Amino acid sequence: MENSFLSIIPPLVALLMVVVTRKVLPSLGVGIILGALMINNWSVTGSIQEIYTIVKGIFIDSESGGLNTWNMYIIFFLLLLGMMTAFISISGGSRAFGEWAMKRVKTRVGAQIVTAVFGIIIFIDDYFNSLAVGNVSRPITDRHNVSRAKLAYIIDSTAAPMCIISPISSWGAYIIAIIGGVLATHSITGVGALEAFMRMIPMNLYALFALVMVFFVSYFDINLKAMKVHEDRAQKTGEVLDPEKGAVPGETTGLPESDKGSVADLAWPIIMLIAGTVTFMIVTGIQAVSGTDTAVTALTIFENTDVATSLLYGGLIGLATSLIFFFVKRMGGAVLGKGIWEGIKSMLPAVYILFFAWTLIEIIGSLGTGEYLAGLVNQHIVIGFLPAILFLLGGVMAFATGTSWGTFGIMLPIAGEIAAATDPTLMLPVLAAVLAGAVFGDHCSPISDTTILSSTGAGSHHIDHVMTQLPYAVLVAGISLLGYLVLGFTGSSILGLLATAVLFGILIFMLKTKYANRPVEVAKN
């Protein structure tokens, strides 16, 4: 069953169940069990052992026998962020920041635009972007009755697209390293890895226009399909969440709130979180490069940085800062304990989803789903269609496997092989198409960790975020696909970008005519 058509069945079943039932954990669980049974020839005992080994690997590194620091540090960071958010609320920081922002950001449009700008500014890492921007923006968007689903869309559609076009980011550094290997393998010496990455930016059509789409959607208040339901409820009733679905990750309830709060109670923990994380990304990157033959540059630092460790230390610094403001308020030990527990509890739904998603991703890897999908591209290719085909395949692979980084690792070398064997002038266009397709698939996949963390950062129900973002992602992908056809048949990145821009303008005009909505601004008191 490995590396065959059957290998796509478990992720497909899980994804269909998510869409039909809107219950993430049972759907992922079915996909995990089905995949394990297929790997072990339907042996129940073997399947249980398979799942146990995978789950154990989430906690314990199989090679070193020590803690799996990447996974565990991400989990610890989520819990730290939950606690930090709780103490910011207890100290009165969220309320004070919301009141401060209301005096300066006076419209729903402004609240959404500010969030998008935050998403662009914080481009170092997508995990960090999703969670930090969500925590900063929620008080603003809540006060202007912007639904959490809309907030999650803005966060998700600025995080990965911005990280993938920035060379000084965890994504950029990782991609540049892979591109360098591809160019060296095929003896392409006319362009370096960094230069190639920079030249590919205008060819990364989906990422560029997903970013632009956010601003048009925010300005014209274009609410499609399920998003309209959430936005209508938020504007008419002030409910930014569906009240029938209960609590969501990042939300703390029943906590006391100081009436002596100030903007500093929110601003300084966030500032220290950002400063601490970026500082440790630089420190861990320098430590990794030092003692090797690699020169210590900004690029090599971010290529070798330990993102998970940096997030953990940044989270500890942010939490410590929020506790300082909490102790200044002298609210007592009972409130301290409640804040810790409520903060942890608020993040448990996100932790559960991540555990299930990581397990399913390992199952999919064992089945060879990615390799099977990648192999399809080698059959009967017309050269001009190559960028469009690789864009679609990258999207399908990232959607099915839930990992854009895994898609990069598999598809970039394959795309390089195909271009080298057919038309080397298409090397950069096909590599850019893979990058764009991976972000598109990542945006659509309910098992993507970036999608999960975007809904967590926004405080949105996860499946609501997936279903509301999907129409926007598909529309941008559609015009990007046509742009890649132009790019493939003309070989001109300028014409490809121009064609996509014209199509995007037509799309926005049609959406604005049919869906633009400018309700009366009703802000919360």
Side-chain angles (χ1 to χ4, degrees):
M1 296 181 185
E2 288 83 355
N3 302 328
S4 72
F5 172 75
L6 295 175
S7 66
I8 70 172
I9 292 178
L12 186 61
V13 168
L15 294 168
L16 289 175
M17 281 191 64
V18 166
V19 173
V20 172
T21 67
R22 295 179 176 264
K23 296 184 182 297
V24 179
L25 294 181
S27 302
L28 297 181
V30 169
I32 291 166
I33 293 169
L34 179 59
L37 288 169
M38 291 174 65
I39 291 170
N40 292 278
N41 296 316
W42 308 103
S43 166
V44 175
T45 303
S47 299
I48 293 173
Q49 180 63 37
E50 179 86 23
I51 295 172
Y52 170 76
T53 301
I54 292 173
V55 172
K56 180 181 176 183
I58 292 175
F59 294 92
I60 305 297
D61 189 287
S62 58
E63 294 183 2
S64 66
L67 189 70
N68 186 329
T69 54
W70 177 270
N71 290 342
M72 289 299 97
Y73 285 3
I74 294 295
I75 296 300
F76 293 155
F77 175 71
L78 284 174
L79 300 179
L80 289 170
L81 191 66
M83 288 184 277
M84 188 184 84
T85 303
F87 285 113
I88 288 173
S89 177
I90 291 171
S91 299
S94 297
R95 177 187 54 77
F97 182 75
E99 293 171 353
W100 176 86
M102 283 292 292
K103 298 175 182 177
R104 291 157 179 82
V105 182
K106 299 184 180 299
T107 65
R108 296 183 76 254
V109 170
Q112 295 171 69
I113 296 294
V114 165
T115 301
V117 171
F118 284 154
I120 290 174
I121 293 172
I122 305 176
F123 59 81
I124 296 297
D125 180 72
D126 60 318
Y127 285 9
F128 181 58
N129 182 305
S130 299
L131 296 168
V133 174
N135 274 270
V136 173
S137 301
R138 261 185 291 177
I140 304 174
T141 55
D142 281 0
R143 289 299 184 101
H144 285 287
N145 297 337
V146 177
S147 69
R148 293 288 180 79
K150 189 69 163 290
L151 175 59
Y153 159 70
I154 296 171
I155 292 171
D156 205 358
S157 290
T158 52
M162 196 62 209
C163 288
I164 205 171
I165 62 174
S166 171
I168 307 300
S169 71
S170 55
W171 284 50
Y174 172 74
I175 292 165
I176 289 169
I178 296 177
I179 291 173
V182 171
L183 296 178
T185 298
H186 300 290
S187 302
I188 297 176
T189 57
V191 59
L194 177 58
E195 182 185 350
F197 180 89
M198 300 302 292
R199 287 170 58 181
M200 286 161 55
I201 291 174
M203 305 178 199
N204 201 328
L205 302 178
Y206 177 82
L208 292 173
F209 286 95
L211 277 170
V212 178
M213 184 73 157
V214 168
F215 286 92
F216 279 97
V217 167
S218 299
Y219 183 77
F220 292 114
D221 205 21
I222 298 172
N223 303 313
L224 305 176
K225 305 295 182 181
M227 187 72 83
K228 182 171 176 55
V229 175
H230 289 272
E231 283 289 272
D232 284 350
R233 180 182 59 246
Q235 293 170 39
K236 293 174 182 177
T237 70
E239 295 284 353
V240 295
L241 282 164
D242 186 341
E244 297 180 1
K245 291 185 179 179
V248 296
E251 288 293 290
T252 52
T253 57
L255 290 174
E257 188 173 290
S258 172
D259 57 1
K260 300 177 181 178
S262 67
V263 173
D265 291 310
L266 178 140
W268 276 111
I270 295 293
I271 290 170
M272 295 305 294
L273 171 68
I274 294 172
T277 301
V278 174
T279 298
F280 279 102
M281 288 180 74
I282 295 171
V283 169
T284 56
I286 292 173
Q287 289 175 341
V289 176
S290 299
T292 68
D293 296 331
T294 306
V296 179
T297 65
L299 181 60
T300 57
I301 288 171
F302 281 95
E303 179 183 336
N304 293 278
T305 189
D306 188 335
V307 174
T309 300
S310 303
L311 287 173
L312 177 66
Y313 290 147
L316 286 169
I317 293 170
L319 175 61
T321 307
S322 67
L323 285 172
I324 290 173
F325 284 98
F326 167 79
F327 286 125
V328 167
K329 303 294 189 301
R330 298 181 179 180
M331 300 184 71
V335 177
L336 172 67
K338 188 170 184 179
I340 292 172
W341 171 238
E342 289 294 333
I344 292 173
K345 190 170 68 173
S346 72
M347 285 297 179
L348 290 181
V351 171
Y352 298 152
I353 294 174
L354 270 179
F355 273 125
F356 274 68
W358 282 337
T359 305
L360 181 58
I361 287 169
E362 288 294 323
I363 292 285
I364 291 168
S366 298
L367 284 169
T369 305
E371 288 82 355
Y372 166 71
L373 291 172
L376 295 177
V377 81
N378 289 315
Q379 303 173 9
H380 312 297
I381 299 173
V382 177
I383 299 301
F385 289 109
L386 194 55
I389 290 172
L390 288 167
F391 170 71
L392 288 176
L393 188 58
V396 171
M397 185 181 296
F399 177 78
T401 61
T403 168
S404 51
W405 281 42
T407 301
F408 300 151
I410 294 172
M411 284 301 303
L412 287 175
I414 290 173
E417 289 280 352
I418 296 171
T422 54
D423 185 355
T425 63
L426 285 178
M427 178 66 73
L428 298 188
V430 298
L431 295 179
V434 168
L435 299 180
V439 175
F440 165 53
D442 195 71
H443 274 167
C444 298
S445 178
I447 63 174
S448 159
D449 48 8
T450 307
T451 306
I452 294 167
L453 293 178
S454 293
S455 57
T456 301
S460 166
H461 293 288
H462 180 56
I463 192 59
D464 286 345
H465 168 44
V466 173
M467 298 307 295
T468 52
Q469 178 165 258
L470 194 59
Y472 302 98
V474 170
L475 286 173
V476 175
I479 62 171
S480 300
L481 180 65
L482 295 174
Y484 282 120
L485 288 173
V486 173
L487 175 57
F489 281 101
T490 66
S492 170
S493 60
I494 295 176
L495 289 178
L497 183 63
L498 182 61
T500 310
V502 171
L503 291 168
F504 183 80
I506 295 171
L507 173 64
I508 291 298
F509 176 77
M510 294 171 62
L511 293 177
K512 177 177 175 292
T513 301
K514 187 172 182 180
Y515 294 103
N517 179 32
R518 279 301 189 61
V520 176
E521 300 283 351
V522 180
K524 293 182 181 177
N525 295 323

